[in-house]
Amino acid sequence: MTGKLYGVGIGPGDPELLTLKALRLIQGAPVLAYPAPDVGDSLARSIVAEHLPGGQTEYPIRIPMVTERFPAQDVYDKASRDIAEFLDAGQDVVVLCEGDPFFYGSFMYLFGRMMEDYDVEVVPGVSSLMACSAMVGAPLAARNDVMTIIPGPVDEEIMKQRLRNVQAAAIIKVGRHFEKIRNILEELDLVDCARYVERATMENQKVMPLSEVGDAKAPYFSMILVHKRGEAWTL
């Protein structure tokens, strides 16, 4: 009997935003895997650290923090082989996934490599999108609004095209693209309809209107929410 692989969403950062199912699986898993930078501690592990019972085998998936094309294929090739050894030995493996595993989550690259040979279950988590909306205190969309999600790294012209007729939008992975994004929103006269969220639900969270953000830099874990009516409930 082989073990079962779980991709478990652990939410955006607040340890209390784990689902009951995620908590049960994390505490009962003989093997716990999680993404980690090539040097330093894992954010994913730190989110669940207070819930860990101890005595588990831990497997950090070391991912180089580089700007080249992601994902690094060899990292996931190696991780899938190593995780397969645990599964072949009959041990279940829980892979921690920040936010939700299938909402721009890196677990999809393990899933694609292992789903045909092993029993794999995906456990959804609170996504950064939902967390940012809650922290801002503003609904993402209402009634028949079309919600548009735009990654910050996309080409400038593509972003303009997507935002030009937007009803509601979330610009994710802002990071070093902040200045480009703000310039586009200014050009489209959307700054007053935009809110900036940094590290949602974490202790060092920041939330403010985009017009009040003075620095031209932002961390990777930041998002800009836009609603053309200002508030979703406005007619």
Side-chain angles (χ1 to χ4, degrees), residues 13-27:
D14 184 342
E16 292 187 330
L17 289 177
L18 293 175
T19 65
L20 293 175
K21 185 169 186 177
L23 181 62
R24 173 176 61 80
L25 291 171
I26 289 167
Q27 292 183 331

Side-chain angles (χ1 to χ4, degrees), residues 129-172:
L129 184 61
M130 307 310 165
C132 286
S133 175
M135 295 304 100
V136 166
L140 292 169
R143 297 185 296 278
N144 296 321
D145 287 341
V146 176
M147 183 75 196
T148 303
I149 299 170
I150 307 172
V154 300
D155 178 78
E156 183 173 343
E157 289 304 316
I158 293 175
M159 185 175 292
K160 285 182 184 179
Q161 180 183 349
R162 296 287 188 269
L163 286 170
R164 191 162 279 118
N165 298 308
V166 77
Q167 294 171 307
I171 305 173
I172 64 174

Side-chain angles (χ1 to χ4, degrees), residues 69-102:
R69 182 177 180 273
F70 190 81
Q73 299 297 332
D74 56 343
V75 170
Y76 292 104
D77 287 343
K78 181 180 185 304
S80 62
R81 291 193 299 268
D82 292 343
I83 290 172
E85 291 185 8
F86 293 118
L87 298 174
D88 290 339
Q91 294 181 294
D92 291 345
V93 178
V94 164
V95 180
L96 303 180
C97 311
E98 296 154 12
D100 179 89
F102 277 176

Side-chain angles (χ1 to χ4, degrees), residues 24-132:
R24 173 176 61 80
L25 291 171
I26 289 167
Q27 292 183 331
V31 181
L32 196 68
Y34 43 81
D38 44 358
V39 177
D41 298 329
S42 164
L43 173 61
R45 189 192 185 283
S46 71
I47 292 172
V48 305
E50 66 184 66
H51 301 298
L52 298 180
Q56 296 166 300
T57 299
E58 297 191 21
Y59 175 73
I61 304 171
R62 296 287 177 183
I63 303 172
M65 297 293 104
V66 295
T67 56
E68 286 78 11
R69 182 177 180 273
F70 190 81
Q73 299 297 332
D74 56 343
V75 170
Y76 292 104
D77 287 343
K78 181 180 185 304
S80 62
R81 291 193 299 268
D82 292 343
I83 290 172
E85 291 185 8
F86 293 118
L87 298 174
D88 290 339
Q91 294 181 294
D92 291 345
V93 178
V94 164
V95 180
L96 303 180
C97 311
E98 296 154 12
D100 179 89
F102 277 176
F103 185 69
Y104 294 90
S106 59
F107 179 73
M108 71 178 74
Y109 306 115
L110 290 176
F111 181 85
R113 285 165 168 78
M114 307 188 74
M115 60 177 289
E116 293 184 0
D117 298 317
Y118 296 94
D119 187 8
V120 184
E121 181 178 343
V122 175
V123 179
V126 178
S127 76
S128 58
L129 184 61
M130 307 310 165
C132 286

